[in-house]
């Protein structure tokens, strides 16, 4: 069976057991800032396991794409470590339990995949008599094939937990360590874990007690690549049809030898990493120096470095994407949809890193050559590699480690603390936004979202993730209304805010968030009295804020459409922010947008605004929306029914945000800036409505002020300023010439300082010059007058002194060296310097020692010729 056939067989098997097949969730966790990336099949399903949300089915099966980088150093070195892998899983949310999980796992492995039952072994938790009975009595496994290990218990601190049972496959004695004690649990490769069944049956309390759960859950994880290696009888996951075609492509590009252990490892690393890179970008992750983007950049640059070790000098990573899509594109169509963008981003990032890789390696080698006996690279040195050459710290550590060196990680962390703090805050802050209580008891059919609602009843109040019956003055809580007019934050748009008034209290709504099932909850501060569940409330949404958000969001749609018309269809949204005051739009483009292009983009948007076109919002099936040409948000996950926002035939997008009813409501649109934010990503900031009007007024006042200073009418101000600038330029030229003439008039006194040292004419003198350029020109003129020899000139400039030294080409053959001469002079004046044999320049901090410095330069000439 191929890897794709195994995946399909697994999902169809559990579908036959009444499981709902869900497509893999994106790698970016939804509503879970405690996770950086999805690293397990159960991670996106946590709200269903914790009981906070009602699942779409109480039996679910998935093949979840996962990213893990904890063991990145082992990728390529072992048979089964990966950064990207697929985890097959079947899940029960309070439905079936151990009996079904065990019997179905055995049935799938032995009946569907037809694995040899004599090669299967299991492990269980020692106290789990129930699991033992099912394996021994129901399945019929002998005692000697059931192993009891204390670490067969899954828990992460407080919360749901339970024993687990792992299934192992015996790959044969030839894959083992050969020790007589070799058995399940040995560190060698003989016994391969292929499936883990977790029986979530307890809740661990704060004080460490294990209380039985009323609803017990099943969470299983089965590695697709591992299963494929067993069924296809391959030495490792990398030789399966899920990965090896990529390695074959690398061999073709590099002309390498897969039998060479060092080359083999490099090829495996590249094959693994390009899979991770492709899927991360297809899910909306872009290279950066923070968070998920840093993980992507680290993996990509590691792959480039291993490519260079194979002798590949040209750009090559994007060329491997086709092979990845040939293998996995049918199962994950989102990768094919973003194929061109994936390749462009990879090429841009690889090109940037390739330009500095050689320089960075040269610096790293120099660092290692001059390191102390402890063979530890300082944090400051490693940070310089990161900051200047884009070497992730882990890459430097890996390269240095290959040659026996270590890295001062603490010093590195201290050097980039600011960036680390930002990245950490981006994915570890868990606030009231996710601390919602269990909502499964609510009848969601009675909870509606209605923008026009002005009255509602409080359906639930939560505090720190626990439902409470009332909230008092000063408390921050979550509130769910039965009739909600507040628009939740999403798609880059900030939420509505407002006020709730009950008979005995008031609350200020500061935020609104949506759970994965669409349920909106408010984050509110009780500002007066008390609010209780069941209270009737009067609602006042901040209408001006809501309207300004709608203006900026609709304008964002118009902006994206205009960008694609002016720059091309490669433009895709890479991020956005919609606030009441301004909008920010990040998009894929690989060069700065010119002013002419910005003017055209701005004009196109304003043209649509002035057309007075209705903004239409429709709900339809996802396939129908795609047929209509609706653009999807990059990396976003959509349901079967989507909301389509259209502006005439100019813009059509899938969007759940706030929008104006007519383009004329936007008023006007002004671009305020265009900058780059990362590899192949540009950013435009703009304003609309009242903010655009204020910007126009501010600019008008500034222009009037400028005209007043120029003593001209506003219309004449540009011409008047242009004339003044031209006059200033002419004056500066005249002044520069006067200074040059003044310096040259000093020629006689400079030449008078000439002396003969060992038959070589030498001039060392102070000069009147206002810049290094003029000092160099003067030194050239003096050397021309001499015809040969050495010229050393110095000038004072404020609290500094500068030097230039010139040596005639013929005299450099006598050993005279401008760099050595000027170094002696500069050191005498509290500085340092150097340069080529024929020309050098330097500076000092003690201008009062200029005469002494010139003498030191002359002495250096004497010493060289002596």
């Amino acid at each position: 069976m191929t890897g794709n056939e195994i995946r399909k067989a697994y999902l169809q098997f559990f579908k036959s057991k009444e499981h709902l097949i869900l497509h893999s969730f994106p790698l970016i966790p939804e509503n879970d800032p405690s996770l950086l990336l999805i690293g397990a099949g159960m991670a996106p399903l946590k709200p269903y396991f914790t009981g906070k949300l009602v699942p779409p089915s109480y039996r679910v099966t998935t093949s979840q794409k996962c990213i893990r980088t904890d063991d990145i150093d082992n990728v390529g070195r072992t048979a089964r470590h990966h950064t990207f892998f697929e985890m097959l899983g079947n899940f029960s949310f309070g439905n079936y339990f151990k009996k079904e999980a065990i019997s179905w796992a055995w049935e799938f492995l032995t009946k569907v995949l037809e694995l040899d039952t004599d090669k299967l072994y299991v492990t269980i938790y020692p106290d789990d008599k129930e699991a033992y009975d099912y394996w021994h009595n129901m399945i019929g496994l002998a005692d000697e094939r059931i192993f009891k290990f204390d670490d067969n218990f899954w828990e992460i601190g407080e919360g749901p937990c339970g024993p687990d049972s792992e299934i192992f496959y015996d790959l044969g004695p030839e894959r083992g360590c050969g020790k007589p004690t070799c058995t399940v649990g040995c560190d060698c490769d003989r016994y391969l874990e292929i499936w883990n069944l977790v029986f979530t049956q307890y809740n661990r309390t704060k004080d460490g007690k294990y209380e039985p759960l009323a609803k017990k859950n099943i969470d299983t994880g089965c590695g697709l690549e591992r299963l494929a290696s067993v069924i296809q009888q391959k030495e490792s996951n990398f030789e399966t049809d899920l990965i090896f075609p990529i390695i074959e492509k690398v061999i073709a590009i590099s002309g390498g030898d897969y039998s060479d252990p060092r080359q083999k490892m490099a090829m495996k690393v590249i094959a693994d990493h390009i899979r991770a890179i492709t899927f991360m970008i297809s899910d909306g992750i872009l290279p950066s120096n923070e968070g998920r983007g840093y993980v992507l950049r680290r993996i990509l640059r590691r792959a480039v470095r291993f490519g260079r070790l194979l002798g590949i000098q040209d750009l090559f990573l994007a060329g491997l994407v086709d092979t990845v899509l040939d293998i996995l594109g049918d199962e994950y169509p989102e990768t094919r949809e973003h194929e061109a963008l994936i390749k462009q981003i990879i090429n841009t990032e690889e090109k940037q890193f390739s330009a500095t890789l050689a320089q960075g390696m040269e610096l790293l080698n120099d660092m290692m050559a001059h390191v102390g006996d402890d063979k530890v690279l300082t944090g400051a040195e490693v940070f310089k590699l990161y900051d200047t050459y884009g070497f992730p710290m882990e890459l430097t550590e890996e390269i240095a480690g290959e040659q026996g060196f270590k890295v001062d990680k603490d010093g590195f962390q201290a050097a980039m603390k600011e960036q680390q703090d930002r990245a950490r805050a981006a994915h570890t802050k868990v606030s009231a936004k996710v601390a919602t209580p269990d909502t499964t008891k609510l009848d969601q059919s009675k909870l509606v979202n209605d923008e026009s609602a002005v009255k509602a009843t409080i359906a639930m109040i939560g505090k720190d993730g626990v439902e409470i019956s009332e909230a008092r003055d000063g408390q921050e809580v979550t509130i769910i209304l039965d009739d909600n007019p507040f628009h939740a934050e999403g798609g880059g748009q900030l939420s509505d805010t407002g006020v709730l008034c009950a008979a005995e209290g008031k609350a200020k709504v500061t935020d609104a968030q949506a759970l994965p099932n669409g349920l909106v909850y408010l984050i509110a501060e009780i500002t007066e009295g008390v609010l209780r569940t069941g209270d009737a409330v009067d609602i006042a949404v901040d209408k001006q804020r809501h309207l300004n958000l709608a203006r900026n969001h609709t304008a964002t749609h118009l902006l994206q459409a205009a960008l694609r018309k002016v720059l091309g269809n490669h433009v895709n949204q890479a991020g956005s922010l919609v606030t009441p005051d301004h909008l920010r739009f990040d998009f894929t483009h690989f060069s700065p947008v010119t002013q002419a292009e910005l003017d055209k983009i701005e004009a196109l948007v304003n043209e649509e605004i002035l057309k007075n076109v209705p903004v239409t919002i429709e709900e339809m099936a996802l396939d129908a929306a795609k047929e209509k040409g609706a653009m999807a948000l990059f990396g976003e996950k959509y349901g079967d029914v989507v909301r389509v926002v259209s502006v005439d035939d100019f813009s059509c997008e899938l969007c759940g945000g706030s929008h104006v009813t007519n383009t004329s409501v936007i008023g006007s649109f002004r671009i305020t800036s265009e900058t780059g934010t990362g590899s192949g990503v540009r950013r435009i900031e703009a304003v609309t409505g009242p903010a655009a009007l204020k910007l126009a007024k501010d600019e008008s006042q500034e222009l009037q002020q400028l005209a007043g200073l120029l003593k001209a009418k506003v219309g004449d101000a540009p011409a008047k300023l242009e004339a003044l600038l031209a006059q200033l330029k002419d004056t500066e030229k005249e002044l520069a010439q006067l200074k040059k003439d003044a310096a040259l008039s000093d020629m006689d006194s400079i030449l008078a300082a000439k002396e003969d040292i060992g038959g070589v004419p030498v001039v060392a003198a102070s000069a009147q010059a206002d810049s290094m350029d003029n000092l160099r020109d003067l030194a050239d003129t003096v050397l021309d007058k001499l015809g040969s020899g050495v010229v050393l000139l110095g000038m004072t400039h404020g609290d500094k002194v500068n030097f230039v030294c010139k040596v005639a080409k013929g005299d450099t053959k006598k050993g005279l060296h401008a760099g050595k001469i000027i170094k002696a002079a500069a050191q005498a004046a509290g500085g340092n310097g150097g340069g080529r044999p024929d020309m050098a320049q330097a500076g000092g901090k003690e201008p009062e020692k200029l005469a002494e410095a010139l003498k030191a330069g002359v002495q250096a000439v004497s010493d060289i010729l002596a």
Side-chain angles (χ1 to χ4, degrees):
M1 295 174 73
T2 66
N4 288 328
E5 287 170 343
I6 296 168
R7 184 196 305 108
K8 183 178 180 180
Y10 183 94
L11 297 175
Q12 290 302 318
F13 173 80
F14 281 100
K15 182 180 180 181
S16 74
K17 305 298 184 186
E18 300 179 338
H19 287 64
L20 173 67
I21 300 175
L22 295 180
H23 185 70
S24 174
F25 291 81
L27 289 167
I28 301 175
E30 182 180 12
N31 258 0
D32 190 353
S34 66
L35 290 178
L36 189 64
L37 291 158
I38 294 297
M42 64 79 63
L45 306 173
K46 282 200 308 190
Y48 308 133
F49 280 113
T50 58
K52 291 191 174 184
L53 288 181
V54 176
S57 168
Y58 288 100
R59 296 181 181 185
V60 162
T61 185
T62 62
S63 180
Q64 176 63 45
K65 48 194 175 185
C66 300
I67 294 284
R68 290 184 188 174
T69 56
D70 296 345
D71 296 315
I72 192 171
D73 292 339
N74 285 323
V75 173
R77 301 179 192 274
T78 70
R80 48 186 176 268
H81 276 99
H82 299 290
T83 53
F84 172 84
F85 60 95
E86 292 182 71
M87 186 177 285
L88 303 170
N90 57 285
F91 309 95
S92 167
F93 310 112
N95 189 266
Y96 61 84
F97 202 45
K98 293 180 187 177
K99 179 180 180 181
E100 294 83 356
I102 289 172
S103 63
W104 290 338
W106 189 258
E107 181 183 349
F108 178 72
L109 292 175
T110 61
K111 304 298 183 185
V112 179
L113 299 187
E114 300 179 353
L115 294 185
D116 185 346
T117 57
D118 291 334
K119 293 186 176 183
L120 292 172
Y121 296 78
V122 301
T123 63
I124 61 170
Y125 186 62
D127 294 341
D128 194 355
K129 186 177 184 303
E130 187 181 7
Y132 174 83
D133 287 341
Y134 285 131
W135 281 119
H136 184 57
N137 300 321
M138 180 178 69
I139 300 301
L141 276 182
D143 255 357
E144 59 269 20
R145 289 168 62 195
I146 303 174
F147 293 78
K148 298 177 180 180
F149 293 140
D150 288 332
D151 60 358
N152 276 102
F153 196 95
W154 184 90
E155 63 180 335
I156 306 178
E158 185 185 346
C161 58
D164 63 65
S165 180
E166 297 166 324
I167 305 174
F168 287 79
Y169 186 82
D170 181 4
L171 296 172
E174 66 277 7
R175 297 285 293 277
C177 57
K179 297 176 183 177
T181 56
C182 183
T183 186
V184 172
C186 183
D187 290 336
C188 72
D189 287 336
R190 175 171 176 174
Y191 296 93
L192 176 66
E193 180 198 341
I194 54 176
W195 207 336
N196 187 17
L197 315 177
V198 180
F199 312 125
T200 311
Q201 63 189 85
Y202 300 110
N203 180 61
R204 181 176 174 177
T205 63
K206 288 182 180 179
D207 55 5
K209 292 181 180 178
Y210 293 89
E211 298 175 345
L213 286 172
K215 292 183 177 180
K216 298 176 173 62
N217 303 316
I218 289 293
D219 158 26
T220 83
C222 180
L224 175 61
E225 292 82 2
R226 292 190 181 193
L227 269 187
S229 73
V230 170
I231 291 169
Q232 296 172 15
Q233 298 180 355
K234 299 298 182 182
E235 179 185 329
S236 77
N237 299 357
F238 292 91
E239 277 78 45
T240 68
D241 70 321
L242 290 168
I243 303 176
F244 198 68
I246 307 171
I247 291 176
E248 290 179 314
K249 184 74 174 286
V250 175
I251 293 171
I253 294 171
S254 65
D257 181 2
Y258 192 63
S259 64
D260 179 313
R262 186 173 171 82
Q263 292 189 47
K264 182 177 184 177
M265 177 191 164
M267 292 171 185
K268 288 161 74 173
V269 169
I270 294 167
D272 169 88
H273 286 10
I274 191 60
R275 295 193 338 144
I277 293 162
T278 299
F279 278 85
M280 290 177 79
I281 297 175
S282 76
D283 276 351
I285 300 169
L286 298 170
S288 72
N289 286 333
E290 293 181 353
R292 300 178 188 100
Y294 178 73
V295 174
L296 172 59
R297 174 164 283 168
R298 177 187 171 194
I299 292 171
L300 197 153
R301 293 187 169 186
R302 192 170 186 261
V304 173
R305 186 245 169 179
F306 275 99
R308 297 299 178 269
L309 290 180
L310 289 173
I312 305 172
Q313 296 303 320
D314 298 327
L315 301 182
F316 74 99
L317 277 180
L320 301 176
V321 172
D322 289 335
T323 310
V324 176
L325 299 190
D326 287 344
I327 301 167
L328 297 169
D330 291 341
E331 177 65 22
Y332 299 102
E334 61 270 25
T335 56
R336 292 198 192 279
E337 289 175 16
H338 299 296
E339 178 181 349
L341 179 62
I342 292 167
K343 291 178 178 178
Q344 283 178 317
I345 290 172
I346 291 173
N347 266 333
T348 301
E349 184 75 8
E350 185 179 356
K351 193 179 296 181
Q352 288 179 351
F353 187 52
S354 296
T356 59
L357 181 59
Q359 293 171 287
M361 286 301 302
E362 188 176 329
L363 178 61
L364 178 55
N365 288 331
D366 185 63
M367 289 176 182
M368 291 189 290
H370 294 90
V371 79
D373 293 337
D374 59 359
K375 301 191 82 172
V376 175
L377 298 175
T378 68
E381 289 176 317
V382 177
F383 180 75
K384 182 179 179 182
L385 269 173
Y386 166 81
D387 197 41
T388 308
Y389 298 105
F391 274 47
M393 186 273 289
E394 298 84 356
L395 178 59
T396 302
E397 184 180 25
E398 182 174 356
I399 298 170
E402 289 171 358
Q403 300 186 46
F405 291 85
K406 294 182 179 179
V407 165
D408 174 14
K409 294 183 184 179
D410 292 340
F412 175 83
Q413 296 295 348
M416 63 172 294
K417 187 175 186 302
E418 187 177 339
Q419 293 98 315
Q420 289 288 331
D421 287 346
R422 281 203 306 269
R424 195 176 299 114
H427 70 270
T428 60
K429 183 181 177 184
V430 182
S431 68
K433 293 183 178 183
V434 292
T436 53
D438 183 347
T439 62
T440 56
K441 74 172 191 177
L442 295 175
D443 183 354
Q444 197 165 342
S445 65
K446 295 181 180 178
L447 305 178
V448 297
N449 294 321
D450 178 6
E451 276 193 17
S452 63
V454 293
K455 292 182 181 293
T457 300
I458 296 177
M460 178 179 280
I461 303 175
K463 174 71 176 170
D464 298 327
V466 178
E467 183 181 1
I468 58 176
S469 58
E470 63 178 38
R472 295 186 173 274
D473 190 5
Q475 286 187 303
E476 185 182 55
V477 295
T478 56
I479 295 175
I480 295 175
L481 302 176
D482 67 344
D483 200 357
N484 167 61
F486 291 88
H487 199 283
E489 179 182 335
Q493 178 185 317
L494 299 186
S495 72
D496 286 334
T497 60
V499 176
L500 304 178
C501 293
E504 297 182 51
K506 289 183 179 179
K508 179 182 178 183
V509 177
T510 58
D511 199 357
Q513 294 288 323
L515 293 171
N517 62 354
L519 182 66
V520 174
Y521 61 94
L522 312 176
I523 297 173
E525 180 186 352
I526 310 302
T527 57
E528 185 180 313
V530 60
L531 265 65
R532 299 183 177 87
T533 302
D535 279 358
V537 291
D538 293 321
I539 306 168
V541 174
D542 185 335
K543 295 295 183 186
Q544 189 58 50
R545 173 188 171 90
H546 179 86
L547 179 57
N548 286 339
L549 284 167
R551 285 186 173 113
N552 284 333
H553 204 147
T554 305
T556 301
H557 284 218
L558 299 179
L559 171 60
Q560 177 164 215
L563 284 166
R564 289 173 69 85
K565 291 180 190 301
V566 174
L567 302 180
N569 288 334
H570 64 277
V571 167
N572 277 287
Q573 180 173 336
S576 72
L577 176 67
V578 176
T579 78
D581 306 314
H582 73 285
L583 65 92
R584 188 180 76 207
F585 187 75
D586 295 347
F587 58 98
T588 53
H589 188 56
F590 301 91
S591 62
V593 185
T594 67
Q595 188 57 51
E597 289 169 334
L598 288 172
D599 290 343
K600 192 171 182 181
I601 291 161
E602 188 177 88
L604 278 173
V605 174
N606 281 305
E607 192 177 307
E608 287 302 308
I609 292 171
L610 293 173
K611 280 182 181 177
N612 192 28
V613 179
V615 178
T616 60
I617 298 176
E618 307 168 89
E619 287 196 347
M620 62 181 72
L622 180 59
D623 289 341
K626 288 182 177 179
E627 280 182 28
K628 188 175 180 179
M631 284 193 64
L633 181 64
F634 183 39
E636 190 72 13
K637 183 174 182 285
Y638 295 97
D640 295 331
V641 178
V642 293
R643 189 168 178 259
V644 179
V645 180
S646 305
V647 180
D648 203 11
D649 58 356
F650 187 79
S651 168
C652 183
E653 290 189 40
L654 304 182
C655 182
S658 302
H659 290 277
V660 296
T661 56
N662 190 292
T663 58
S664 63
V665 179
I666 299 171
S668 65
F669 172 84
R670 293 285 304 279
I671 294 174
T672 56
S673 71
E674 190 277 339
T675 55
T677 66
S679 297
V681 178
R682 307 297 300 177
R683 170 174 292 173
I684 282 180
E685 299 197 48
V687 291
T688 67
L693 180 61
K694 182 179 183 302
L695 177 63
K697 284 184 176 180
D698 290 345
E699 288 176 344
S700 176
Q701 289 174 356
E702 289 168 2
L703 185 56
Q704 289 174 354
Q705 185 180 5
L706 182 62
L709 292 171
L710 292 170
K711 296 180 181 179
K713 294 179 180 179
V714 170
D716 297 334
K720 180 76 176 284
L721 180 59
E722 191 175 356
L724 282 173
L725 289 172
Q727 184 180 338
L728 178 62
K729 191 173 182 180
D730 290 341
T731 304
E732 286 174 341
K733 283 182 180 178
E734 290 176 13
L735 181 60
Q737 187 59 47
L738 286 171
K739 287 180 178 179
K740 190 173 182 179
D741 292 344
L744 290 174
S745 68
D746 224 10
M747 184 66 68
D748 290 341
S749 61
I750 291 173
L751 289 172
K754 185 182 83 167
E755 56 184 299
D756 187 286
I757 300 177
V760 176
V762 178
V763 169
S766 63
Q768 302 298 315
D770 67 335
S771 69
M772 286 299 292
D773 286 343
N774 283 345
L775 192 65
R776 281 194 298 271
D777 290 344
L778 184 58
D780 284 335
T781 303
V782 174
L783 191 58
D784 286 344
K785 294 275 188 185
L786 292 177
S788 64
V790 178
V791 176
L792 173 64
L793 300 182
M795 70 170 187
T796 58
H797 188 72
D799 60 350
K800 294 180 180 178
V801 59
N802 296 106
F803 301 95
V804 168
C805 182
K806 299 266 185 172
V807 177
K809 292 282 187 184
D811 291 312
T812 60
K813 297 175 182 178
K814 300 176 182 178
L816 290 168
H817 193 292
K820 294 177 181 177
I821 297 167
I822 207 166
K823 183 174 184 179
Q827 286 179 339
N832 212 333
R836 305 193 308 266
D838 61 329
M839 199 286 284
Q841 58 188 51
K845 300 175 183 177
E846 302 174 45
E848 68 276 8
K849 294 186 177 179
L850 173 57
E852 185 180 330
L854 293 172
K855 288 180 182 178
V858 172
Q859 184 60 48
V861 174
S862 297
D863 292 343
I864 292 170
L865 294 174

